[in-house]
Amino acid sequence: GVAPSARTCQRREQLAHFLDCSSGQAPPTLHFLHIVFPHAPWMYFDSGTPYSEECGDLSLLNFETAGLAQDVWGTDAEFVHRQHQRYLLQVELADRWLGQLVERLRSEGLYDQCLLIITADHGVSFRPGENRRYLSRNNADEILSVPLFVKLPGQTSGGPSDRNVETVDLLPTVLDVLGITPPAGLEGESLARPDTGRRTGKRFATTLAMRELPGDVVARSNWPVEVEKLFGSEPAGLFQL
């Protein structure tokens, strides 16, 4: 099915519709959901209760503090911190939604046999004076830090990995699991196989060029420490602002 709403409209309803379509009665199927979440507009508490209208209104981003350029934060650090807080609340809700998806797959008898991939197209930056979503010299560790969860069919255990992975690895992984020979020239490598170690850098595609950055640009980031200083290490810390 197709969710009959705009990208940033009715995201709770989009998820519910997707879950309803995930049935173990169907033949082997590709289920794909491009849900713009925890993307702006940031308007949900972690419980799922909205505190603002949805449907594509991005005005709450409000870059008027000092950054009039598109998607550039102003220099008011307190303002940026509050937007970061709102974003993290939606990240917590995204975690709840992921739990709902796993519960649905289990109840339909699909979880053990499915290939499940959860990812995003880019990270987001909350540094005053920096761009929110486009790569710069000072925000590469945030923009290139993308969540990626992969559960293989029949997989019963797992854990975190420091493997240098790029989004171009997702399609080769799907083809490998399905036993389909990849076409010639396909970039990336299957995550269902051991790391070849051939990749040493981290690539980022812009509309004009491909930029190559050090492979450890995310691993050596100090940003997690900065976030913990702001909000603490427990979920309740998000409200200490």
Side-chain angles (χ1 to χ4, degrees):
V2 177
S5 57
R7 290 190 311 151
T8 54
C9 279
Q10 298 179 299
R11 290 173 288 181
R12 289 177 300 178
E13 290 78 6
Q14 288 183 45
L15 175 71
H17 177 72
F18 181 74
L19 296 181
D20 287 342
C21 293
S22 301
S23 170
Q25 304 303 315
T29 306
L30 169 66
H31 294 271
F32 176 81
L33 174 64
H34 178 195
I35 188 166
V36 187
F37 201 86
H39 192 286
W42 304 313
M43 38 74 65
Y44 285 115
F45 290 113
D46 60 324
S47 63
T49 302
Y51 56 83
S52 177
E53 274 192 57
E54 203 171 10
C55 284
D57 180 12
L58 304 183
S59 61
L60 285 171
L61 286 172
N62 191 357
F63 294 102
E64 68 184 11
T65 52
L68 299 180
Q70 176 65 30
D71 267 357
V72 175
W73 292 113
T75 57
D76 183 345
E78 179 65 19
F79 176 85
V80 179
H81 293 339
R82 291 194 179 277
Q83 307 316 304
H84 195 178
Q85 175 195 37
R86 297 169 57 209
Y87 164 77
L88 290 174
L89 287 170
Q90 287 201 173
V91 171
E92 290 193 349
L93 179 55
D95 184 60
R96 291 179 185 269
W97 286 2
L98 180 55
Q100 292 178 30
L101 172 61
V102 170
E103 287 178 3
R104 173 70 179 184
L105 293 174
R106 289 190 187 280
S107 68
E108 291 293 319
L110 293 171
Y111 184 77
D112 289 336
Q113 59 183 308
C114 79
L115 169 64
L116 176 63
I117 299 177
I118 310 290
T119 192
D121 54 350
H122 59 80
V124 58
S125 175
F126 288 93
R127 287 189 172 99
E130 288 290 334
N131 201 292
R132 176 176 69 97
R133 53 175 289 171
Y134 296 109
L135 191 70
S136 74
R137 185 181 307 171
N138 299 318
N139 69 8
D141 55 336
E142 295 174 90
I143 301 300
L144 295 178
S145 181
V146 177
L148 175 62
F149 300 89
V150 178
K151 188 209 73 69
L152 300 174
Q155 182 177 347
T156 57
S157 63
S161 170
D162 59 2
R163 181 171 176 173
N164 187 4
V165 171
E166 295 182 345
T167 52
V168 293
D169 297 329
L170 298 182
L171 181 55
T173 302
V174 173
L175 297 180
D176 186 19
V177 169
L178 294 179
I180 299 174
T181 302
L186 183 67
E187 290 192 57
E189 53 189 37
S190 171
L191 303 179
R193 297 179 182 270
D195 187 3
T196 63
R198 290 195 297 262
R199 181 180 292 144
T200 57
K202 184 75 75 177
R203 297 174 303 166
F204 181 84
T206 71
T207 53
L208 301 176
M210 181 74 75
R211 293 186 56 183
E212 180 91 14
L213 294 100
D216 64 349
V217 64
V218 174
R220 56 184 169 83
S221 172
N222 193 49
W223 187 239
V225 176
E226 296 180 48
V227 174
E228 189 165 327
K229 285 181 180 178
L230 274 175
F231 301 108
S233 58
E234 299 297 327
L238 286 177
F239 294 97
Q240 69 186 12
L241 287 178

